[in-house]
Structure formats: structure tokens, C-alpha cells
Amino acid sequence: EAGVTQFPSHSVIEKGQTVTLRCDPISGHDNLYWYRRVMGKEIKFLLHFVKESKQDESGMPNNRFLAERTGGTYSTLKVQPAELEDSGVYFCASRGLASSDEQFFGPGTRLTVL
Amino acid sequence: RKEVEQDPGPFNVPEGATVAFNCTYSNSASQSFFWYRQDCRKEPKLLMSVYSSGNEDGRFTAQLNRASQYISLLIRDSKLSDSATYLCVVSPYNQGGKLIFGQGTELSVKP
């Protein structure tokens, strides 16, 4: 069974540009999460989808970040316009329906904003 | 104050050593507790869940003390392959399973 996949693996952009990150969860997983690790800090929660609905977006830093999950399958996270402090590793995770199910993480997208 | 606090290390130990990591969490409404392992430039992977009764998986033993809001991980007979960052993770009650991470404790096992 394929795991969580993320694209791209790396992205280098200039301040002010737009970047869109994609996450494909494990097939059948209704729960999808985005997390971010900024250098030197802990991994932090950004938001949580159940199917196509945003359940919790309390971790989103500001309105430059927009996450979508149309159709309840893959998700995108767009940063527009990117700022220097957005640099970090963005992880996506998915989980099955039961609250006791494990969250499986994707390999992450390493974003560098210059 | 961070929600989950860990000693960042690094812990440098010889092969075969026993090493213990500790972690404290601030939210008494935390429901679930985990240790994740993260190798350099890789994603976090679940090592084990942590239960109040304590639980063991081979060379790994995890313990939870809810009264003290304290979680521990003991690794016996360390192997070179145990070198990684160990993340203490909690999940608050009724918040959809979101995970709160500690900063991680780096372990380096030397020959």
C-alpha cells in the first residue's frame, strides 16, 4: 500500500512569489493534517481536514496560507505571497477513521524562501 | 512556555548502553501520548504509544505519569541504528487527533 506522498520534495522561491504544495494521503484516509517545522523549532500543527471539510485551522499562521481538499482526496497548501519566515519543512499526515488510528506522515516538502 | 518540553540533547552513548529520555507536557487535558522517531531529513514515524500502565516493545519501554504530566522513554542495549531524534508527542482531548510535538531529543549511538 502506498504511503502519504508529497510534491514537490523541495522548493526554492523568492519572497513575494507563490508556491503550492500537494499532499496525497493514504487511500481511504478521511483525516488529513498539515504540519510545519521551522528551523530550530518543533513541528507545529497547521490544520486538519475531515474529508473535504476543514475541522481545525487554528494553526494556520495568517491569511497568506490557503489549504484546500476538494473532493476529499488530495490536499493543496498555497502560500501567497511567500515571506522569508515561511521557510521550513511542511509535512502532511493522514489517518483513518478511528481516533486510535496512527497518523502516517509524508516525506515533507522543504520550502526555502529567499 | 512550550506545550511539550524535552531536553534537546544531544545524547552521545556507546553501543549497548541504556539511555532514558524525559518529557513534560503542560495541558492536563492531553489524551494520547506517543514517542515518534525522526531520522535526519526524514518524516516522523511512530515508535510507540504510551499508556499509564507503562508499555514495552522489545528494547523500548515507555511510561506515562499523568499526575506529574511526565512521559519517559527507555532504550536498552542501544544499537547504532537507534541514532535519531526522538519526539515526544501528545494529542489533546477532543481536538480531532491533532498532534503537539516536543522539539525532540537527539541520540547518537557510537561504536
Side-chain angles (χ1 to χ4, degrees):
Chain A
E1 182 183 317
V4 178
T5 58
Q6 292 187 244
F7 182 82
S9 56
H10 294 80
S11 181
V12 180
I13 61 173
E14 295 195 347
K15 177 182 168 179
Q17 289 187 319
T18 297
V19 64
T20 299
L21 314 181
R22 173 172 170 142
C23 168
D24 286 78
I26 291 171
S27 178
H29 279 190
D30 288 338
N31 291 281
L32 186 151
Y33 305 82
W34 284 98
Y35 296 88
R36 175 174 77 170
R37 183 168 205 161
V38 171
M39 193 166 64
K41 303 272 190 167
E42 67 274 18
I43 296 171
K44 285 199 168 175
F45 167 82
L46 297 179
L47 88 159
H48 170 211
F49 284 100
V50 177
K51 298 186 180 177
E52 67 275 8
S53 299
K54 288 178 190 172
Q55 286 293 112
D56 180 356
E57 49 185 332
S58 61
M60 294 288 262
N62 50 61
N63 59 11
R64 294 186 294 103
F65 289 74
L66 175 65
E68 293 180 322
R69 193 183 181 195
T70 308
T73 54
Y74 71 91
S75 175
T76 58
L77 179 65
K78 182 161 74 172
V79 186
Q80 179 183 31
E83 297 289 344
L84 300 179
E85 65 264 24
D86 301 333
S87 296
V89 182
Y90 290 76
F91 291 106
C92 174
S94 73
R95 176 174 70 82
L97 205 55
S99 59
S100 58
D101 286 348
E102 178 182 345
Q103 277 190 41
F104 292 90
F105 281 76
T109 293
R110 185 170 297 274
L111 174 65
T112 302
V113 183
L114 303 175
Chain B
R1 184 188 168 188
K2 291 183 177 148
E3 290 189 68
V4 180
E5 297 257 20
Q6 292 182 254
D7 179 348
F11 283 54
N12 296 305
V13 303
E15 264 188 296
T18 295
V19 61
F21 303 137
N22 304 315
C23 159
T24 57
Y25 60 95
S26 60
N27 184 356
S28 60
S30 297
Q31 178 183 25
S32 305
F33 307 88
F34 311 95
W35 284 100
Y36 274 72
R37 171 190 168 130
Q38 187 174 25
D39 292 288
C40 188
R41 292 183 171 262
K42 299 282 189 180
E43 69 273 20
K45 290 186 179 176
L46 180 65
L47 178 66
M48 58 199 301
S49 300
V50 189
Y51 305 109
S52 297
S53 53
N55 48 301
E56 188 174 307
D57 183 1
R59 298 180 292 108
F60 299 83
T61 300
Q63 202 82 34
L64 165 66
N65 184 322
R66 283 187 183 270
S68 304
Q69 295 180 199
Y70 173 94
I71 306 164
S72 64
L73 177 68
L74 184 77
I75 305 176
R76 290 181 299 279
D77 188 22
S78 301
K79 312 289 184 193
L80 297 178
S81 57
D82 294 334
S83 297
T85 296
Y86 290 82
L87 304 167
C88 179
V89 183
V90 307
S91 185
Y93 176 74
N94 209 25
Q95 290 194 33
K98 84 179 197 186
L99 302 178
I100 311 294
F101 287 81
Q103 195 168 355
T105 299
E106 185 184 341
L107 172 66
S108 180
V109 181
K110 307 289 188 186

